[in-house]
Amino acid sequence: MANIISGKELAEEIKAELKLKIDELKRKGKTPGLATILVGKSPASIIYVRNKGLACESLGIYSEQYNLDENITQEDLVSLIHKLNQEDKIDGILVQLPLPKHLDEMNILASISPDKDVDGFHFYSVGRFFCEKDYNNMKKNKLFLPATPYGIMEMLIRKNIKLEGANAVVLGRSNIVGKPIAMLLLSANATVTICHSKTQDLANICKNGDILIAAIGKPKFVKQDMVKEGVVVIDVGINRVDDKIVGDVDFDEVSKKASLITPVPGGVGPMTITMLMVNTVVSAERHLNEG
Ligand code: GUN
């Protein structure tokens, strides 16, 4: 039976470190602030945004939540973002994805000021971390790394998983998880293979992975016979099946072969929210020091 990586416990550890920084900022007269923008009424997005607000509250970060009608125009949404770009009490702006089809996601994300892009989805943030070769430098330079991949990296590193030279297989190629986690693992000297819906012989590629990141949104897709003995498995999936939340990995099967595995819930999810808080605090520190 595998050991379980508790994202919940690691997130608590990181939040305790973060609380000290927030208290220090407040002593200097700066309260970090996050604005979240939700368009429409997707039940999953409502929960994610609410959890982000609750995390802010528990840490003493100021937060504002904008709940917008699903028919909002591009112009109105961009003009709200431009207003938030100018507000001193806001250090981070997050537009919850996905957006309704009539909105141009790329351009909306690009309207966020890069110095408030705590989600790391602006072209500037993506290009900035793409160009940095070394993960340690990314951290030293306090780049805004996208929260889910950032959380995964912190889990692997805090659990002392050897990344250098490891074969890492990433299932999924989204801008939110698959592509950025592949780039981050590469920056930590792993050999990375990205698989997607058109990949041939996917099971055999997975079997070669010392580390397997599953981010494809298919419930219990990864089975025991697709993984190597001793693999480290990070399950990013959040799928609702019969009123239960399950990951992209068949936990009961795969945990028999894995050396380490994240549960769903309680694995990647809490880390994602925590790394968003980390980025918001970094942004507040920068705003305080650089004006
Ligand atoms: N939708 C799913 N994950 C995320 C995330 O990390 N940030 C935003 N903004 N939307 C998401």
Side-chain angles (χ1 to χ4, degrees):
M1 184 73 181
N3 278 315
I4 291 174
I5 308 179
S6 168
K8 219 169 145 194
E9 275 175 33
L10 287 177
E12 288 307 321
E13 247 176 70
I14 297 171
K15 281 196 278 190
E17 297 161 17
L18 201 57
K19 188 82 179 72
L20 300 176
K21 290 191 180 173
I22 295 167
D23 292 344
E24 176 67 17
L25 276 166
K26 286 185 172 174
R27 271 196 294 279
K28 294 179 178 164
K30 172 76 185 161
T31 299
L34 175 70
T36 58
I37 300 176
L38 172 66
V39 182
K41 291 197 164 51
S42 146
S45 291
I46 290 173
I47 293 171
Y48 296 151
V49 171
R50 187 196 303 140
N51 287 341
K52 289 167 188 175
L54 289 173
C56 285
E57 201 180 308
S58 77
L59 284 168
I61 294 175
Y62 169 76
S63 74
E64 288 177 0
Q65 184 180 331
Y66 293 84
N67 298 317
L68 307 178
D69 189 272
E70 65 184 323
N71 296 314
I72 189 164
T73 63
Q74 179 93 9
E75 293 69 31
D76 285 350
L77 179 48
V78 168
S79 100
L80 170 63
I81 292 170
H82 284 162
K83 185 170 85 67
L84 294 168
N85 284 342
Q86 301 302 322
E87 285 190 7
D88 288 343
K89 64 177 184 292
I90 298 299
D91 299 291
I93 301 169
L94 175 141
V95 178
Q96 186 65 27
L97 302 177
L99 288 169
K101 292 265 180 299
H102 70 281
L103 296 170
D104 179 345
E105 190 169 291
M106 292 278 183
N107 277 315
I108 286 163
L109 295 174
S111 69
I112 297 172
S113 175
D115 72 293
K116 297 191 178 185
D117 180 36
V118 290
D119 236 352
F121 294 155
H122 188 287
F123 297 124
Y124 174 84
S125 306
V126 177
R128 180 73 183 81
F129 99 82
F130 191 100
C131 292
E132 191 76 70
K133 270 200 297 215
D134 180 324
Y135 182 71
N136 291 324
N137 274 345
M138 294 182 192
K139 287 200 61 174
K140 202 168 79 198
N141 292 327
K142 302 197 167 171
L143 304 192
F144 289 141
L145 302 177
T148 300
Y150 192 6
I152 294 171
M153 289 301 285
E154 287 304 302
M155 281 208 274
L156 294 171
I157 289 166
R158 283 168 188 253
K159 283 287 169 189
N160 293 316
I161 309 299
K162 188 170 181 287
L163 299 178
E164 185 160 312
N167 285 329
V169 175
V170 176
L171 299 184
R173 53 173 157 177
S174 70
N175 286 343
I176 296 179
V177 185
K179 281 194 259 179
I181 189 61
M183 207 49 64
L184 293 180
L185 288 164
L186 186 65
S187 75
N189 295 321
T191 302
V192 186
T193 308
I194 306 177
C195 297
H196 48 80
S197 55
K198 304 288 186 291
T199 298
Q200 292 183 20
D201 212 6
L202 185 138
N204 263 330
I205 298 173
C206 286
K207 256 193 175 149
N208 198 32
D210 304 308
I211 299 168
L212 181 66
I213 315 283
I216 40 167
K218 292 190 180 161
K220 298 190 182 185
F221 177 83
V222 178
K223 302 287 183 193
Q224 186 172 195
D225 59 359
M226 292 165 66
V227 301
K228 192 194 245 188
E229 194 74 48
V231 63
V232 173
V233 178
I234 306 290
D235 189 351
V236 187
I238 302 180
N239 309 289
R240 185 172 286 276
V241 177
D242 300 333
D243 259 4
K244 256 187 79 183
I245 300 292
V246 299
D248 290 348
V249 176
D250 190 328
F251 184 90
D252 292 342
E253 278 194 10
V254 173
S255 59
K256 292 188 186 124
K257 273 176 104 175
S259 58
L260 278 170
I261 187 166
T262 59
V264 176
V268 174
M271 290 297 287
T272 294
I273 296 186
T274 301
M275 301 326 284
L276 173 69
M277 301 296 119
V278 168
N279 282 345
T280 304
V281 171
V282 162
S283 182
E285 287 173 338
R286 204 175 279 141
H287 286 144
L288 177 70
N289 295 328
E290 296 167 15

